[in-house]
Amino acid sequence: MFAVREWFRFLKTREGPISRAQPEFTLTAVLLGLAIGCLICFTNLSLGLQSGWISMMSIQSALIGFLISRMLPTPLTPQEIIVVQTTAVATGTMPLAAGFVGILPALTLLNEDRDGSPPIRLTWLAAVGWSCSVAFFGVFLSPPIRKQVIIEEQLPFPSGTATAHLISVLHQLPPPDTTVRRRNGYRQIDQEEEDTRTEAATTDVVVEGDANDATERDVIEHEGWHDLIWSFAGSGALTLSAYFFPVLFTIPLFGSYLAKEWLWFFTPSLSYIGQGIIMGFPTTLSMNLGMFAGWAILSPFSKLSGWAPGPVGDMSSGARGWILWVSLGILCADSLVSLLPVAFEYIAEALQPWRQGYSVTSTNAFDSSKHPHETETEDRLVPTQWVVVGLLLSVVVGTVLVWIVFGDEGIKPWATLLGFILGGMLSIIGVRALGETDLNPVSGLGKISQLFFAWIQPGNIVANIIAGGVAEAGAQQAGDLMQDLKTGHLCRASPRAQFYGQLIGSSVSIIVTTTANTLYNRAYAIPGPSFPAPTAYVWLSLARLLRGGQLPENSASFMAAFSLLFALLSALKTYSAKRSSWVAAWIPSGVAFAIGFLNTPSFSIARLIGGVAEYVYRTRFAKSGGDIRLIVIASGFVLGEGVVSIVSLVLRTVGVGVVSCFGCGHGLCGGCPSTL
């Protein structure tokens, strides 16, 4: 009750040196954040079940919130926009954090003879219970991690910093102070000396920067709504047309034979193109390199060699199931190697006092003058008491709820408890990696948790998947929310206001995500042609392997070779990034490369179109506001398909079918009788 009273006192008085002048946690901001977050939630659930890839959409949430606020009698303040963004992200990322795109579909694929457990399909109420068990642990974990990685270490968090710059531009504020200390010994960068050397040049840069900022702001205010509406409408119209004429999303661009036998077709989804714009050219290029290696080389090679004799798309005996193992090796190798420098540095810093004999006076490593102090007052921070009580309650209640939903045969309570503890430790590693590289390696962290639980509870596939999901959820959620907290820190938003937004967004998303998942499962076969849920097979395949299963014929050697290759590439990429070398951006991302294996070529090709568009705009039009404008258009593309997919879902639920299956002779069109 104290927390509730404090919440409403904060909402009423808006205490704090900044919030007295600028409203922050307001009803308008929360409702707008929830509305945007619900759209993102449906979009992410659909895209996640299709490709295994979702987007935080933090920049997009801030942009849309700003555009809508221009229509209100009193436009929202920058701090309110940050609350909008924070609430939207907490609402929209639940499909991945709670495992609706991977863990839960994997449980439906269980086979009693092979796995020792029948398929597990949760009811709506059981799915709500599962979501509640993992929805709040990462939220309460965020405040103490924020103090370490944002306040003490000042990690850059590129996406959060970019969002802060955007909000500053839109609201005509001075650019946020993004000075980052060198982490080695926490040496402060000497800005005064730099300013003295470049005083004259700085004046010219500021003038040019102000002109560019004004251009970007004009683009958003005068053309933003127009761009968002036409991109949203175009994407939605194409999506609805593809529902009635499914061949529009399964075009046999390379011929009917390749489409039918080898799954080479093209899906001209504007949402995929928008995702490619958001992901960027280097990432989409890595994804398409993986797609080509997997589907143009390894897939036919394994099929023609007799190692994968089944249909190409079969995940058990076909080439798609064979290359899945190569993908899994790449995912594990890339994620683990990229985490090693962060883990080693973290351990080295933790052991530094012991190596120096606790002599604080003899070293500058822990000199208080070298550490920046918290810029917020106590009344704007999340009280430690709330964090401790919230963490304990989320762990205890979460453990009980998992036990109620899955029972003793599914997972023992002590194993779930260990999952939360492991999730807390992995969250620190994942957040630090995210802060430095803008990539939260939750896929690799999830595999670490599966390896751990295969050791402590061998032979139990259900426990392996569930406990791994509990650990992954904390790391995923803490990382996503940390980007928002970085934005808030740079724009001087109240951490407590963001904390409230995170709690509300996560709470509402439990119902929204569970309901959306139930509707999708009633209308479609998941995994199935329309929603293959590729990450579900990754979770299940590793769990089966750890239980004592065997790899497909000759897949182990290819898995080892690609794992070694991408371990070396990941090490080189990490080394180059540490030295701010341009080479790092063009070394293929192992995670993106592996995603190219998991999905059929249609998912990757459309994203490459978006990546190319992003590259052209960024290199030719960024100085005239084209970069910001492209983000608005990409947001409309993604949200348009996500919203209209709700309409398609309703149509299928009430029995409205396709108008024509013309051109669907290859049997790949979702909704046509030949594919049902």
Side-chain angles (χ1 to χ4, degrees):
M1 289 300 295
F2 172 77
V4 175
R5 290 197 303 270
E6 179 67 12
W7 179 359
F8 282 103
R9 184 186 67 81
F10 177 85
L11 177 60
K12 182 178 180 181
T13 62
R14 300 190 186 103
E15 292 182 352
I18 297 175
S19 57
R20 291 192 188 102
Q22 298 283 359
E24 297 192 51
F25 185 75
T26 61
L27 182 62
T28 302
V30 171
L31 292 179
L32 182 55
L34 289 176
I36 296 172
C38 288
L39 296 181
I40 296 174
C41 181
F42 268 89
T43 301
N44 276 337
L45 181 60
S46 175
L47 294 176
L49 289 172
Q50 288 175 338
S51 63
W53 193 291
I54 75 166
S55 175
M56 254 184 71
M57 302 286 281
S58 56
I59 291 180
Q60 290 73 25
S61 300
L63 273 172
I64 296 171
F66 174 81
L67 291 173
I68 295 177
S69 76
R70 297 297 96 180
M71 302 174 61
L72 301 177
T74 303
L76 299 183
T77 66
Q79 288 72 31
E80 285 178 294
I81 292 295
I82 290 174
V83 171
V84 170
Q85 167 212 331
T86 304
T87 306
V89 170
T91 308
T93 54
M94 188 61 68
L96 182 60
F100 283 91
V101 301
I103 296 167
L104 296 189
L107 294 175
T108 67
L109 296 170
L110 293 172
N111 182 285
E112 188 166 10
D113 294 333
R114 183 177 181 180
D115 305 316
S117 172
I120 298 176
R121 293 180 172 85
L122 300 184
T123 63
W124 183 87
L125 187 60
V128 168
W130 158 254
S131 300
C132 287
S133 69
V134 297
F136 303 106
F137 179 65
V139 176
F140 286 102
L141 201 62
S142 296
I145 297 180
R146 170 191 175 273
K147 182 177 181 181
Q148 176 63 28
V149 300
I150 294 179
I151 303 303
E152 294 297 326
E153 299 182 41
Q154 293 187 356
L155 298 185
F157 288 95
S159 291
T161 300
T163 306
H165 276 287
L166 175 67
I167 292 174
S168 298
V169 168
L170 297 179
H171 290 272
Q172 305 182 43
L173 299 175
D177 179 12
T178 56
T179 299
V180 180
R181 292 172 300 154
R182 295 186 178 92
R183 295 181 59 213
N184 183 19
Y186 296 107
R187 295 193 300 267
Q188 190 79 27
I189 295 177
D190 190 353
Q191 282 297 118
E192 293 181 359
E193 184 176 322
E194 178 69 15
D195 291 341
T196 302
R197 290 197 305 265
T198 60
E199 183 176 358
T202 301
T203 303
D204 295 337
V205 171
V206 169
V207 172
E208 182 181 352
D210 289 343
N212 290 336
D213 289 351
T215 300
E216 291 180 350
R217 188 165 54 248
D218 289 341
V219 167
I220 297 299
E221 291 187 349
H222 298 107
E223 303 180 23
W225 261 119
H226 178 265
D227 292 337
L228 185 66
I229 290 173
W230 74 253
S231 58
F232 182 97
S235 180
L238 181 59
T239 303
L240 193 60
S241 300
Y243 176 83
F244 292 112
F245 303 93
V247 73
L248 291 178
F249 271 8
T250 50
I251 299 174
L253 189 64
F254 309 98
S256 296
Y257 173 77
L258 288 179
K260 183 175 183 179
E261 298 297 331
W262 298 98
L263 305 183
W264 276 84
F265 57 91
F266 176 56
T267 300
S269 164
L270 291 178
S271 177
Y272 294 167
I273 294 174
Q275 269 202 319
I277 293 171
I278 294 169
M279 292 161 65
F281 180 60
T283 301
T284 56
L285 182 60
S286 296
M287 183 182 294
N288 276 267
L289 289 174
M291 178 271 292
F292 186 81
W295 290 91
I297 299 176
L298 294 182
S299 174
F301 188 69
S302 63
K303 174 76 172 178
L304 298 176
S305 299
W307 305 333
V312 170
D314 191 284
M315 296 295 289
S316 299
S317 60
R320 188 173 191 180
W322 193 91
I323 64 175
L324 168 68
W325 292 100
V326 182
S327 171
L328 183 58
I330 296 171
L331 281 171
C332 292
D334 182 84
S335 298
L336 292 177
V337 170
S338 64
L339 281 176
L340 287 178
V342 180
F344 287 154
E345 190 170 353
Y346 184 79
I347 294 172
E349 290 172 359
L351 294 177
Q352 193 169 9
W354 282 268
R355 293 202 308 266
Q356 298 176 343
Y358 293 93
S359 178
V360 179
T361 58
S362 63
T363 178
N364 290 329
F366 289 90
D367 186 350
S368 61
S369 65
K370 297 293 183 180
H371 287 266
H373 298 289
E374 176 64 72
T375 57
E376 299 291 349
T377 57
E378 286 295 328
D379 58 295
R380 291 165 58 81
L381 295 173
V382 180
T384 303
Q385 179 185 3
W386 296 9
V387 173
V388 173
V389 173
L391 281 174
L392 291 176
L393 284 177
S394 63
V395 170
V396 172
V397 174
T399 301
V400 172
L401 287 174
V402 170
W403 176 70
I404 292 174
V405 172
F406 295 102
D408 277 332
E409 294 183 359
I411 183 171
K412 303 292 184 183
W414 61 265
T416 305
L417 181 61
L418 284 179
F420 279 111
I421 296 174
L422 181 62
M425 294 187 293
L426 294 179
S427 295
I428 297 173
I429 298 175
V431 166
R432 289 172 66 97
L434 179 70
E436 293 191 354
T437 67
D438 213 31
L439 175 66
N440 193 350
V442 290
S443 58
L445 297 176
K447 306 305 171 286
I448 293 174
S449 63
Q450 283 191 276
L451 291 170
F452 177 75
F453 284 102
W455 172 57
I456 66 171
Q457 200 168 0
N460 191 334
I461 285 185
V462 175
N464 185 279
I465 294 175
I466 296 171
V470 169
E472 185 190 53
Q476 170 69 37
Q477 197 172 39
D480 288 343
L481 301 182
M482 206 57 57
Q483 293 275 24
D484 298 329
L485 290 172
K486 178 67 174 184
T487 304
H489 174 68
L490 293 175
C491 293
R492 298 294 187 264
S494 164
R496 191 180 298 192
Q498 290 186 271
F499 176 73
Y500 293 147
Q502 292 166 353
L503 283 179
I504 295 173
S506 297
S507 301
V508 171
S509 190
I510 291 172
I511 303 300
V512 175
T513 307
T514 304
T515 303
N517 181 71
T518 301
L519 293 175
Y520 274 113
N521 276 277
R522 287 179 180 176
Y524 299 93
I526 299 177
S530 299
F531 298 99
T535 53
Y537 292 97
V538 174
W539 279 94
L540 183 59
S541 297
L542 182 57
R544 283 173 172 171
L545 178 63
L546 296 173
R547 190 174 185 258
Q550 293 184 341
L551 293 171
E553 184 180 359
N554 287 327
S555 63
S557 56
F558 283 86
M559 187 177 179
F562 274 86
S563 298
L564 178 60
L565 172 63
F566 275 91
L568 295 174
L569 288 175
S570 179
L572 179 60
K573 190 178 184 74
T574 302
Y575 177 83
S576 301
K578 285 281 188 181
R579 283 149 182 78
S580 302
S581 173
W582 62 270
V583 177
W586 297 103
I587 297 175
S589 163
V591 173
F593 192 92
I595 293 292
F597 277 64
L598 294 179
N599 296 304
T600 56
S602 61
F603 291 97
S604 300
I605 296 172
R607 286 178 171 85
L608 181 61
I609 296 174
V612 172
E614 181 271 339
Y615 179 77
V616 172
Y617 260 80
R618 178 167 48 85
T619 55
R620 296 190 180 184
F621 302 104
K623 291 185 178 180
S624 60
D627 191 43
I628 297 295
R629 187 174 186 180
L630 190 64
I631 293 175
V632 175
I633 294 172
S635 304
F637 284 162
V638 174
L639 293 176
E641 182 167 321
V643 172
V644 174
S645 68
I646 304 173
V647 179
S648 302
L649 181 63
V650 173
L651 293 175
R652 173 142 325 192
T653 302
V654 299
V656 178
V658 303
V659 173
S660 173
C661 288
F662 175 78
C664 292
H666 45 63
L668 300 172
C669 298
C672 287
S674 60
T675 62
L676 296 178

